[in-house]
Each structure stands twice: as structure tokens, then as C-alpha cells.
Coordinates of all heavy atoms in Angstrom, one line a residue:
M1 N -3.1 -24.6 -8.0 CA -2.0 -23.8 -7.4 C -0.8 -24.8 -7.0 O -0.9 -25.4 -5.9 CB -2.4 -23.0 -6.1 CG -3.4 -21.9 -6.4 SD -2.6 -20.5 -7.2 CE -3.7 -19.2 -6.7
A2 N 0.2 -24.9 -7.8 CA 1.2 -25.8 -7.5 C 2.5 -25.1 -7.0 O 3.5 -25.7 -6.8 CB 1.6 -26.6 -8.7
S3 N 2.4 -23.8 -6.8 CA 3.6 -23.1 -6.4 C 4.0 -23.5 -5.0 O 3.1 -23.7 -4.2 CB 3.3 -21.6 -6.5 OG 2.3 -21.2 -5.7
Q4 N 5.3 -23.5 -4.8 CA 5.8 -23.8 -3.5 C 5.9 -22.6 -2.7 O 6.6 -21.6 -3.1 CB 7.1 -24.6 -3.6 CG 6.9 -25.9 -4.1 CD 8.3 -26.7 -4.1 OE1 9.3 -26.2 -4.5 NE2 8.2 -27.9 -3.6
I5 N 5.4 -22.6 -1.5 CA 5.5 -21.4 -0.6 C 6.3 -21.8 0.6 O 5.9 -22.7 1.3 CB 4.1 -20.9 -0.2 CG1 3.4 -20.4 -1.5 CG2 4.3 -19.7 0.8 CD1 2.0 -20.0 -1.2
T6 N 7.5 -21.2 0.7 CA 8.4 -21.6 1.7 C 8.3 -20.7 2.9 O 8.8 -21.0 4.0 CB 9.9 -21.7 1.2 OG1 10.2 -20.5 0.6 CG2 10.0 -22.9 0.2
A7 N 7.8 -19.5 2.7 CA 7.7 -18.6 3.8 C 6.7 -19.1 4.8 O 5.8 -19.9 4.5 CB 7.2 -17.2 3.3
A8 N 7.0 -18.7 6.1 CA 6.1 -19.2 7.1 C 4.7 -18.8 6.9 O 3.8 -19.6 7.1 CB 6.6 -18.6 8.5
H9 N 4.5 -17.6 6.4 CA 3.1 -17.2 6.1 C 3.2 -16.3 4.8 O 4.1 -15.6 4.6 CB 2.5 -16.4 7.2 CG 2.1 -17.2 8.4 ND1 1.0 -18.0 8.3 CD2 2.6 -17.4 9.6 CE1 0.8 -18.6 9.4 NE2 1.8 -18.3 10.2
C10 N 2.1 -16.4 4.1 CA 2.0 -15.5 2.9 C 0.7 -14.8 3.1 O -0.3 -15.2 2.7 CB 2.0 -16.4 1.7 SG 2.4 -15.5 0.2
E11 N 0.8 -13.6 3.7 CA -0.4 -12.9 4.1 C -0.7 -11.8 3.1 O 0.2 -11.3 2.4 CB -0.2 -12.3 5.5 CG -0.1 -13.4 6.5 CD -0.1 -12.9 7.9 OE1 -1.1 -12.2 8.2 OE2 0.8 -13.2 8.7
E12 N -1.9 -11.4 3.1 CA -2.3 -10.3 2.2 C -3.1 -9.3 3.1 O -4.0 -9.7 3.9 CB -3.1 -10.8 1.1 CG -2.3 -11.7 0.2 CD -3.0 -12.0 -1.2 OE1 -4.0 -11.2 -1.5 OE2 -2.6 -12.9 -1.9
V13 N -2.8 -8.1 2.9 CA -3.5 -7.0 3.7 C -3.9 -6.0 2.7 O -3.2 -5.7 1.7 CB -2.5 -6.4 4.7 CG1 -3.1 -5.3 5.5 CG2 -2.1 -7.5 5.7
S14 N -5.1 -5.4 3.0 CA -5.6 -4.4 2.1 C -5.6 -3.0 2.8 O -5.8 -2.9 4.0 CB -7.1 -4.7 1.8 OG -7.1 -5.9 1.0
V15 N -5.3 -2.0 2.0 CA -5.4 -0.6 2.4 C -6.3 0.1 1.4 O -6.2 -0.1 0.2 CB -4.0 0.1 2.4 CG1 -4.2 1.6 2.7 CG2 -3.1 -0.6 3.4
T16 N -7.3 0.8 1.9 CA -8.2 1.5 1.1 C -7.8 3.0 1.0 O -7.4 3.6 2.0 CB -9.6 1.4 1.7 OG1 -10.0 0.0 1.7 CG2 -10.7 2.1 0.8
I17 N -7.9 3.6 -0.1 CA -7.7 5.0 -0.3 C -9.1 5.6 -0.5 O -9.8 5.3 -1.4 CB -6.9 5.3 -1.5 CG1 -5.5 4.6 -1.4 CG2 -6.6 6.8 -1.6 CD1 -4.7 4.7 -2.7
D18 N -9.5 6.5 0.5 CA -10.8 7.0 0.4 C -10.8 8.4 1.1 O -10.2 8.6 2.1 CB -11.8 6.1 1.2 CG -13.3 6.4 0.8 OD1 -13.5 7.3 -0.1 OD2 -14.2 5.8 1.4
N19 N -11.4 9.4 0.4 CA -11.5 10.7 1.0 C -10.2 11.3 1.3 O -10.0 11.8 2.4 CB -12.5 10.7 2.2 CG -12.9 12.1 2.5 OD1 -12.9 13.0 1.7 ND2 -13.3 12.3 3.8
F20 N -9.2 11.1 0.4 CA -7.8 11.6 0.6 C -7.1 11.0 1.8 O -6.3 11.7 2.5 CB -7.8 13.2 0.7 CG -8.2 13.8 -0.6 CD1 -9.5 14.0 -0.9 CD2 -7.2 14.2 -1.5 CE1 -9.9 14.7 -2.1 CE2 -7.6 14.8 -2.7 CZ -8.9 15.0 -3.0
T21 N -7.5 9.8 2.1 CA -6.9 9.2 3.3 C -6.5 7.7 3.0 O -7.3 7.0 2.4 CB -7.9 9.2 4.5 OG1 -8.3 10.5 4.7 CG2 -7.2 8.7 5.8
F22 N -5.4 7.3 3.5 CA -5.1 5.9 3.5 C -5.7 5.2 4.7 O -5.5 5.7 5.9 CB -3.5 5.6 3.5 CG -2.9 6.1 2.3 CD1 -2.0 7.3 2.3 CD2 -3.0 5.5 1.1 CE1 -1.4 7.7 1.2 CE2 -2.4 6.0 -0.1 CZ -1.6 7.1 0.0
E23 N -6.4 4.2 4.5 CA -7.1 3.5 5.7 C -6.8 2.0 5.7 O -7.3 1.3 4.8 CB -8.6 3.8 5.5 CG -9.4 3.2 6.6 CD -9.1 3.8 8.0 OE1 -8.9 5.0 8.1 OE2 -9.0 3.0 9.0
P24 N -6.2 1.5 6.7 CA -5.6 2.2 7.8 C -4.3 3.0 7.4 O -3.6 2.5 6.6 CB -5.3 1.1 8.8 CG -5.0 -0.1 8.0 CD -5.9 0.1 6.8
A25 N -4.0 4.1 8.0 CA -2.8 4.9 7.7 C -1.6 4.2 8.3 O -0.5 4.4 7.8 CB -3.0 6.3 8.2
Q26 N -1.8 3.5 9.4 CA -0.6 2.9 10.0 C -0.9 1.4 10.2 O -2.0 1.0 10.6 CB -0.3 3.5 11.4 CG 0.1 4.9 11.3 CD 0.4 5.6 12.6 OE1 0.0 5.1 13.6 NE2 1.0 6.7 12.5
L27 N 0.0 0.6 9.8 CA -0.2 -0.8 9.7 C 1.1 -1.6 10.1 O 2.2 -1.1 9.8 CB -0.5 -1.1 8.2 CG -1.1 -2.4 7.7 CD1 -2.5 -2.6 8.4 CD2 -1.3 -2.3 6.2
T28 N 0.9 -2.7 10.7 CA 2.1 -3.5 11.1 C 1.8 -4.9 10.4 O 0.8 -5.5 10.6 CB 2.2 -3.7 12.6 OG1 2.4 -2.4 13.2 CG2 3.4 -4.6 12.9
V29 N 2.8 -5.4 9.7 CA 2.7 -6.6 9.0 C 3.9 -7.5 9.2 O 5.0 -6.9 9.6 CB 2.4 -6.4 7.5 CG1 1.1 -5.6 7.2 CG2 3.6 -5.8 6.8
K30 N 3.9 -8.7 8.8 CA 5.0 -9.6 8.8 C 5.8 -9.5 7.5 O 5.2 -9.2 6.5 CB 4.6 -11.0 9.1 CG 4.0 -11.3 10.5 CD 3.8 -12.7 10.7 CE 3.4 -13.0 12.2 NZ 2.1 -12.3 12.5
V31 N 7.1 -9.8 7.6 CA 7.9 -9.9 6.4 C 7.2 -10.9 5.4 O 6.8 -12.0 5.9 CB 9.3 -10.4 6.7 CG1 10.1 -10.7 5.4 CG2 10.0 -9.3 7.5
G32 N 7.2 -10.6 4.2 CA 6.6 -11.4 3.2 C 5.1 -11.1 2.9 O 4.5 -11.7 2.0
T33 N 4.6 -10.1 3.6 CA 3.2 -9.8 3.4 C 3.0 -8.9 2.1 O 3.8 -8.0 1.9 CB 2.6 -9.0 4.6 OG1 2.7 -9.8 5.8 CG2 1.2 -8.5 4.4
T34 N 2.0 -9.2 1.4 CA 1.6 -8.4 0.2 C 0.5 -7.4 0.7 O -0.5 -7.8 1.2 CB 1.1 -9.2 -0.9 OG1 2.2 -10.1 -1.3 CG2 0.7 -8.4 -2.1
V35 N 0.8 -6.1 0.5 CA -0.2 -5.1 0.8 C -0.8 -4.6 -0.6 O 0.0 -4.3 -1.5 CB 0.4 -3.9 1.5 CG1 -0.6 -2.8 1.8 CG2 1.0 -4.4 2.9
T36 N -2.1 -4.6 -0.6 CA -2.8 -4.1 -1.8 C -3.6 -2.8 -1.5 O -4.4 -2.8 -0.6 CB -3.7 -5.1 -2.4 OG1 -3.0 -6.3 -2.8 CG2 -4.5 -4.6 -3.6
W37 N -3.3 -1.7 -2.2 CA -4.0 -0.5 -2.1 C -5.1 -0.4 -3.1 O -4.8 -0.7 -4.3 CB -3.1 0.7 -2.3 CG -2.1 0.9 -1.1 CD1 -2.2 1.8 -0.1 CD2 -0.8 0.3 -1.0 NE1 -1.1 1.8 0.7 CE2 -0.2 0.9 0.2 CE3 -0.1 -0.6 -1.7 CZ2 1.0 0.5 0.7 CZ3 1.2 -1.0 -1.2 CH2 1.7 -0.4 -0.1
T38 N -6.3 0.0 -2.7 CA -7.4 0.2 -3.7 C -7.9 1.6 -3.6 O -8.2 2.0 -2.5 CB -8.5 -0.8 -3.4 OG1 -8.0 -2.2 -3.4 CG2 -9.6 -0.7 -4.4
N39 N -8.0 2.2 -4.7 CA -8.5 3.6 -4.7 C -10.0 3.7 -4.8 O -10.6 3.3 -5.8 CB -7.9 4.4 -5.9 CG -8.3 5.9 -5.9 OD1 -8.8 6.3 -4.9 ND2 -8.0 6.5 -6.9
R40 N -10.6 4.1 -3.7 CA -12.1 4.2 -3.7 C -12.5 5.7 -3.9 O -13.7 5.9 -3.8 CB -12.6 3.7 -2.3 CG -12.4 2.3 -2.1 CD -13.1 1.4 -3.0 NE -13.0 0.0 -2.6 CZ -13.1 -1.1 -3.5 NH1 -13.4 -0.8 -4.7 NH2 -13.0 -2.3 -3.1
D41 N -11.6 6.5 -4.1 CA -11.9 7.9 -4.4 C -12.3 8.1 -5.9 O -11.9 7.2 -6.7 CB -10.8 8.9 -4.1 CG -11.0 9.6 -2.7 OD1 -12.1 9.6 -2.3 OD2 -10.0 10.1 -2.2
D42 N -12.9 9.2 -6.2 CA -13.3 9.4 -7.6 C -12.3 10.3 -8.3 O -12.5 10.8 -9.4 CB -14.7 9.9 -7.8 CG -14.9 11.2 -6.9 OD1 -13.9 11.7 -6.4 OD2 -16.1 11.6 -6.8
I43 N -11.1 10.4 -7.7 CA -10.0 11.1 -8.4 C -8.7 10.2 -8.2 O -8.7 9.4 -7.3 CB -9.7 12.5 -7.8 CG1 -9.4 12.4 -6.3 CG2 -10.9 13.4 -8.0 CD1 -8.8 13.6 -5.7
P44 N -7.7 10.4 -9.1 CA -6.6 9.5 -9.0 C -5.7 9.8 -7.8 O -5.6 10.9 -7.3 CB -5.8 9.9 -10.3 CG -6.8 10.6 -11.2 CD -7.7 11.3 -10.3
H45 N -5.1 8.7 -7.3 CA -4.0 8.8 -6.3 C -2.9 7.9 -6.7 O -3.0 7.0 -7.5 CB -4.6 8.4 -4.9 CG -5.7 9.3 -4.4 ND1 -5.4 10.5 -4.0 CD2 -7.0 9.1 -4.2 CE1 -6.6 11.1 -3.5 NE2 -7.5 10.2 -3.7
T46 N -1.8 8.1 -6.0 CA -0.6 7.2 -6.2 C -0.2 6.7 -4.8 O -0.6 7.3 -3.8 CB 0.6 7.9 -6.9 OG1 1.1 8.9 -6.0 CG2 0.2 8.5 -8.2
V47 N 0.7 5.7 -4.8 CA 1.3 5.2 -3.6 C 2.8 5.1 -3.9 O 3.2 4.4 -4.7 CB 0.8 3.7 -3.3 CG1 1.3 3.3 -2.0 CG2 -0.8 3.7 -3.3
V48 N 3.5 6.0 -3.1 CA 4.9 6.1 -3.4 C 5.7 6.0 -2.1 O 5.4 6.7 -1.1 CB 5.2 7.5 -4.0 CG1 6.7 7.7 -4.3 CG2 4.5 7.6 -5.4
S49 N 6.7 5.2 -2.1 CA 7.7 5.2 -0.9 C 9.0 5.4 -1.5 O 9.5 4.6 -2.3 CB 7.6 3.8 -0.2 OG 8.4 3.8 0.9
A50 N 9.7 6.4 -1.1 CA 11.0 6.8 -1.7 C 12.0 5.7 -1.7 O 12.3 5.1 -0.7 CB 11.6 8.0 -1.0
G51 N 12.5 5.3 -2.9 CA 13.4 4.3 -3.0 C 12.9 2.9 -2.9 O 13.7 1.9 -3.0
Q52 N 11.6 2.7 -2.7 CA 11.0 1.4 -2.4 C 10.0 1.0 -3.5 O 10.2 -0.1 -4.1 CB 10.4 1.4 -1.0 CG 11.3 1.7 0.1 CD 12.3 0.6 0.3 OE1 12.1 -0.6 0.0 NE2 13.5 0.9 0.9
F53 N 9.0 1.7 -3.6 CA 8.0 1.4 -4.6 C 7.3 2.7 -5.1 O 7.3 3.7 -4.4 CB 7.0 0.4 -4.1 CG 6.4 0.7 -2.8 CD1 5.2 1.6 -2.7 CD2 6.9 0.2 -1.6 CE1 4.6 1.9 -1.5 CE2 6.2 0.6 -0.4 CZ 5.1 1.4 -0.3
R54 N 6.7 2.5 -6.2 CA 6.0 3.7 -6.8 C 4.9 3.2 -7.7 O 5.2 2.5 -8.7 CB 6.9 4.6 -7.6 CG 6.3 5.7 -8.4 CD 7.3 6.5 -9.1 NE 8.0 7.4 -8.2 CZ 7.7 8.6 -8.0 NH1 6.6 9.2 -8.5 NH2 8.4 9.3 -7.1
S55 N 3.6 3.5 -7.4 CA 2.5 3.0 -8.3 C 2.4 4.1 -9.4 O 2.8 5.2 -9.3 CB 1.2 2.9 -7.5 OG 0.7 4.2 -7.2
K56 N 1.7 3.7 -10.4 CA 1.2 4.7 -11.4 C 0.0 5.3 -10.8 O -0.5 4.9 -9.7 CB 0.8 4.0 -12.7 CG -0.3 3.0 -12.6 CD -0.6 2.4 -14.0 CE -1.7 1.4 -13.9 NZ -3.0 1.9 -13.5
A57 N -0.5 6.3 -11.4 CA -1.8 7.0 -10.9 C -2.9 6.0 -11.0 O -3.2 5.3 -12.0 CB -2.1 8.2 -11.8
L58 N -3.5 5.8 -9.8 CA -4.6 4.8 -9.7 C -5.9 5.5 -9.9 O -6.3 6.5 -9.1 CB -4.6 4.2 -8.3 CG -3.3 3.5 -7.9 CD1 -3.3 3.0 -6.5 CD2 -3.0 2.3 -8.9
D59 N -6.7 5.1 -10.9 CA -8.0 5.6 -11.0 C -9.0 4.9 -10.1 O -8.6 4.0 -9.4 CB -8.5 5.4 -12.5 CG -7.8 6.4 -13.5 OD1 -7.5 7.5 -13.1 OD2 -7.5 5.9 -14.6
T60 N -10.2 5.3 -10.1 CA -11.2 4.7 -9.2 C -11.2 3.2 -9.3 O -11.3 2.7 -10.5 CB -12.6 5.3 -9.4 OG1 -12.5 6.7 -9.3 CG2 -13.6 4.8 -8.5
D61 N -11.1 2.5 -8.2 CA -11.1 1.0 -8.1 C -9.9 0.4 -8.7 O -9.8 -0.9 -8.7 CB -12.4 0.5 -8.8 CG -13.6 0.8 -8.0 OD1 -13.5 1.0 -6.8 OD2 -14.7 0.8 -8.7
D62 N -8.9 1.2 -9.1 CA -7.6 0.5 -9.5 C -6.9 0.1 -8.2 O -7.1 0.6 -7.1 CB -6.7 1.6 -10.2 CG -7.0 1.7 -11.7 OD1 -7.8 0.9 -12.1 OD2 -6.4 2.5 -12.3
K63 N -6.0 -0.9 -8.4 CA -5.3 -1.5 -7.3 C -3.8 -1.5 -7.5 O -3.3 -1.5 -8.7 CB -5.7 -3.0 -7.1 CG -7.1 -3.2 -6.7 CD -7.5 -4.6 -6.6 CE -8.9 -4.9 -6.5 NZ -9.5 -4.5 -5.2
Y64 N -3.0 -1.4 -6.5 CA -1.6 -1.5 -6.5 C -1.1 -2.4 -5.4 O -1.6 -2.3 -4.3 CB -0.9 -0.2 -6.5 CG 0.6 -0.3 -6.4 CD1 1.3 -0.6 -7.5 CD2 1.3 -0.1 -5.2 CE1 2.7 -0.7 -7.5 CE2 2.7 -0.2 -5.1 CZ 3.4 -0.5 -6.3 OH 4.7 -0.6 -6.2
S65 N -0.2 -3.4 -5.7 CA 0.2 -4.3 -4.7 C 1.8 -4.2 -4.6 O 2.5 -4.1 -5.6 CB -0.2 -5.7 -5.0 OG -1.6 -5.9 -5.0
F66 N 2.2 -4.4 -3.4 CA 3.7 -4.5 -3.1 C 3.9 -5.5 -2.0 O 3.2 -5.5 -1.0 CB 4.2 -3.1 -2.7 CG 5.7 -3.1 -2.5 CD1 6.6 -3.1 -3.6 CD2 6.3 -3.3 -1.2 CE1 8.0 -3.1 -3.4 CE2 7.7 -3.3 -1.0 CZ 8.5 -3.2 -2.1
T67 N 4.9 -6.4 -2.3 CA 5.2 -7.4 -1.3 C 6.5 -6.9 -0.5 O 7.5 -6.6 -1.1 CB 5.5 -8.7 -1.9 OG1 4.4 -9.1 -2.7 CG2 5.9 -9.8 -0.9
F68 N 6.3 -6.9 0.8 CA 7.4 -6.4 1.7 C 8.3 -7.6 2.1 O 7.9 -8.5 2.8 CB 6.8 -5.7 2.9 CG 6.1 -4.4 2.6 CD1 4.8 -4.4 2.2 CD2 6.8 -3.2 2.7 CE1 4.2 -3.2 1.9 CE2 6.2 -2.0 2.3 CZ 4.9 -2.0 1.9
T69 N 9.5 -7.6 1.6 CA 10.4 -8.7 1.8 C 11.5 -8.4 2.9 O 12.3 -9.2 3.2 CB 11.1 -9.1 0.5 OG1 11.8 -8.0 -0.1 CG2 10.1 -9.7 -0.5
G70 N 11.5 -7.2 3.3 CA 12.5 -6.8 4.3 C 11.8 -6.0 5.5 O 10.9 -5.3 5.3
A71 N 12.4 -6.3 6.7 CA 11.8 -5.6 7.9 C 12.2 -4.1 7.8 O 13.2 -3.7 7.3 CB 12.3 -6.3 9.1
G72 N 11.4 -3.3 8.5 CA 11.7 -1.9 8.6 C 10.4 -1.1 8.6 O 9.3 -1.6 8.6
N73 N 10.6 0.2 8.7 CA 9.5 1.1 8.7 C 9.4 1.8 7.3 O 10.4 2.4 6.9 CB 9.6 2.2 9.8 CG 9.2 1.7 11.1 OD1 8.2 1.1 11.3 ND2 10.1 1.8 12.1
Y74 N 8.3 1.6 6.7 CA 8.1 2.2 5.3 C 7.1 3.3 5.4 O 5.9 3.0 5.7 CB 7.6 1.1 4.4 CG 8.6 -0.1 4.2 CD1 8.7 -1.1 5.1 CD2 9.5 -0.1 3.1 CE1 9.6 -2.1 5.0 CE2 10.4 -1.1 2.9 CZ 10.4 -2.1 3.8 OH 11.3 -3.2 3.7
T75 N 7.5 4.5 5.1 CA 6.6 5.6 5.0 C 6.3 5.8 3.5 O 7.1 5.6 2.7 CB 7.1 6.9 5.6 OG1 8.3 7.2 5.0 CG2 7.3 6.7 7.1
Y76 N 5.0 6.1 3.2 CA 4.7 6.3 1.8 C 3.7 7.5 1.8 O 3.1 7.9 2.8 CB 4.1 5.1 1.2 CG 2.8 4.6 1.9 CD1 1.6 5.0 1.4 CD2 2.8 3.7 2.9 CE1 0.4 4.5 1.9 CE2 1.7 3.3 3.5 CZ 0.4 3.7 3.0 OH -0.7 3.2 3.6
F77 N 3.5 8.0 0.6 CA 2.6 9.1 0.4 C 2.0 9.1 -1.0 O 2.4 8.2 -1.8 CB 3.3 10.4 0.6 CG 4.4 10.7 -0.4 CD1 4.3 11.5 -1.4 CD2 5.7 10.1 -0.2 CE1 5.3 11.8 -2.3 CE2 6.7 10.3 -1.1 CZ 6.5 11.1 -2.2
C78 N 1.1 10.0 -1.3 CA 0.5 10.1 -2.6 C 1.2 11.3 -3.3 O 1.2 12.4 -2.7 CB -1.0 10.4 -2.5 SG -1.7 10.9 -4.1
S79 N 1.9 11.0 -4.4 CA 2.7 12.1 -5.0 C 1.8 13.2 -5.6 O 2.3 14.3 -5.9 CB 3.5 11.5 -6.2 OG 2.7 10.9 -7.2
L80 N 0.5 12.9 -5.8 CA -0.4 14.0 -6.2 C -0.9 14.8 -5.1 O -1.3 16.0 -5.3 CB -1.6 13.3 -7.0 CG -1.2 12.4 -8.2 CD1 -2.4 11.7 -8.7 CD2 -0.5 13.3 -9.2
H81 N -0.9 14.3 -3.9 CA -1.4 15.0 -2.7 C -0.5 14.6 -1.6 O -0.8 13.7 -0.8 CB -2.9 14.6 -2.4 CG -3.8 14.5 -3.6 ND1 -4.1 13.3 -4.2 CD2 -4.4 15.5 -4.2 CE1 -4.9 13.6 -5.2 NE2 -5.1 14.9 -5.3
P82 N 0.7 15.3 -1.5 CA 1.7 14.8 -0.6 C 1.3 14.9 0.9 O 2.0 14.3 1.7 CB 2.9 15.8 -0.8 CG 2.6 16.3 -2.2 CD 1.1 16.4 -2.4
H83 N 0.2 15.5 1.2 CA -0.2 15.5 2.6 C -0.9 14.1 2.9 O -1.1 13.8 4.1 CB -1.2 16.6 2.9 CG -2.5 16.5 2.1 ND1 -2.6 16.9 0.8 CD2 -3.7 16.0 2.4 CE1 -3.8 16.6 0.4 NE2 -4.5 16.1 1.3
M84 N -1.1 13.3 2.0 CA -1.6 11.9 2.2 C -0.5 11.0 2.5 O 0.4 10.8 1.6 CB -2.4 11.4 0.9 CG -3.6 12.1 0.6 SD -4.3 11.5 -1.0 CE -4.5 9.8 -0.6
V85 N -0.4 10.6 3.7 CA 0.8 9.8 4.1 C 0.3 8.5 4.9 O -0.8 8.5 5.5 CB 1.7 10.6 5.1 CG1 2.4 11.7 4.3 CG2 1.0 11.1 6.3
G86 N 1.1 7.5 4.8 CA 0.9 6.3 5.6 C 2.2 5.6 6.0 O 3.2 6.0 5.4
T87 N 2.1 4.7 6.9 CA 3.3 4.0 7.4 C 3.0 2.5 7.5 O 1.9 2.2 8.0 CB 3.7 4.5 8.8 OG1 3.9 5.9 8.7 CG2 5.0 3.9 9.2
I88 N 3.9 1.8 7.0 CA 3.8 0.3 7.2 C 5.0 -0.2 7.9 O 6.2 0.1 7.5 CB 3.6 -0.4 5.9 CG1 2.3 0.0 5.3 CG2 3.7 -1.9 6.1 CD1 2.0 -0.6 3.9
K89 N 4.8 -0.8 9.1 CA 5.9 -1.4 9.8 C 6.0 -2.9 9.5 O 5.0 -3.6 9.7 CB 5.7 -1.2 11.3 CG 6.8 -1.7 12.2 CD 6.5 -1.4 13.7 CE 7.6 -1.9 14.5 NZ 7.3 -1.8 16.0
V90 N 7.1 -3.3 9.0 CA 7.3 -4.7 8.6 C 8.2 -5.3 9.6 O 9.3 -4.8 9.9 CB 7.9 -4.8 7.2 CG1 8.0 -6.3 6.8 CG2 7.0 -4.0 6.2
E91 N 7.8 -6.4 10.2 CA 8.6 -7.0 11.3 C 8.6 -8.5 11.1 O 7.9 -9.1 10.3 CB 8.0 -6.7 12.7 CG 6.6 -7.1 12.9 CD 6.0 -6.6 14.2 OE1 6.6 -5.7 14.8 OE2 5.0 -7.1 14.6
Ligands
CU101 CU1 -3.8 11.5 -3.8

């Protein structure tokens, strides 16, 4: 690994999708954090934040990652089941 990392921290956080729920549904991370969602359900889900990011349909054990480079509150949902919602606060 010869890449240069200039950010103060390069953190990684996991969110699990299970039983139609994002777990944890609410998360606070630092700018520069990569969040990885993993679908543990046996049906597809997506991770969508309007104007920010959009995963393809994730089958069981598929993953989707997004790196948050700007501070703010990001709400996201599953486009297949819009009642599935989560929030990530980036600070
Ligand atoms: Cu879903």
C-alpha cells in the first residue's frame, strides 16, 4: 500500500441491511469516512440518497460503499421499500 493518505483519518464504517432495516439507522461519522452497506436480507435492497448516491439493487451479501467528503446530514432510503430509511450525519 503505497498510496498517500493526507486526510486526518480514513475510517470505514459498516451498515447492515437486515429484516428491512438499516442497522444502525442513524450514524455519525467524520468527513472522509467510507460507509459500506451489506445486504443480509434474502431479497434485494438499494441504498439511495437523493442527489448524492444511488446503489444498484443489492442481492444477498452484496455490498455498496460511498465515501462522504462533505459535512452534512444525509438521509437515504431503499428505493424498493421507501419506508426503509437511514440517516448519516457527517461532521
Ligand atoms: Cu429494500
